[in-house]
């Protein structure tokens, strides 16, 4: 997909390296704890629900709903920033793209798309389904 405005490259850390490697391959993954079964976001080596270190990256559905959003209309290239609650449970901050900003609403179903960045891995954004 294409986004009009330039998207800065994400900062890749030891804890997020696997996520970005998957993103480069077009896969949307999230950390899931194999001890308690909960997925979480942002990525952590220790499960925030049960303190287990048995966290692994798994493919996510890429489906979610808009928890809340705000349209940055005064930006040179207006964009919508949002929190999306994934079907797997966690809520992540992201952008909503490929849509009419005036038609966005809380609770709307969205699915993941990857947006190219300046010179780093693509970042996950969402668009209405
Ligand atoms: Zn856990």
């Amino acid at each position: 997909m294409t986004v009009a405005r330039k998207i800065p490259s994400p900062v890749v850390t030891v804890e997020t390296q696997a996520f970005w490697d998957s993103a480069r391959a077009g896969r949307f993954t999230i950390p899931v704890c194999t001890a308690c079964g909960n997925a979480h976001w942002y990525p952590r080596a220790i499960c925030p629900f049960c303190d287990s270190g048995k966290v692994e990256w798994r493919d996510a559905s890429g489906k979610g709903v808009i928890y809340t959003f705000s349209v940055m209309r005064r930006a040179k290239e207006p964009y919508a920033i949002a929190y999306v609650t994934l079907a797997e449970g966690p809520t992540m901050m992201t952008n909503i793209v490929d849509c009419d900003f005036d038609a966005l609403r809380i609770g709307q179903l969205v699915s993941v798309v990857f947006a190219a960045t300046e010179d780093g891995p693509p970042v996950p954004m969402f668009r209405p389904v």
Side-chain angles (χ1 to χ4, degrees), residues 61-105:
S61 66
K63 307 293 185 201
V65 297
I66 297 175
Y67 176 76
T68 191
F69 70 95
S70 183
V71 178
M72 305 294 136
R73 295 185 192 278
R74 297 189 68 180
K76 201 169 182 182
E77 301 277 358
Y79 63 99
I81 191 166
Y83 276 101
V84 165
T85 301
L86 304 175
E88 290 79 9
T91 298
M92 70 186 297
M93 183 181 272
T94 184
N95 282 195
I96 307 297
V97 295
D98 295 343
C99 63
D100 172 4
F101 294 146
D102 292 328
L104 289 177
R105 58 182 171 74

Side-chain angles (χ1 to χ4, degrees), residues 40-58:
H40 66 265
W41 192 264
Y42 56 93
R44 278 155 283 187
I46 303 296
C47 173
F49 298 101
C50 74
D51 296 330
S52 167
K54 293 177 181 169
V55 173
E56 65 181 34
W57 289 91
R58 289 192 187 160

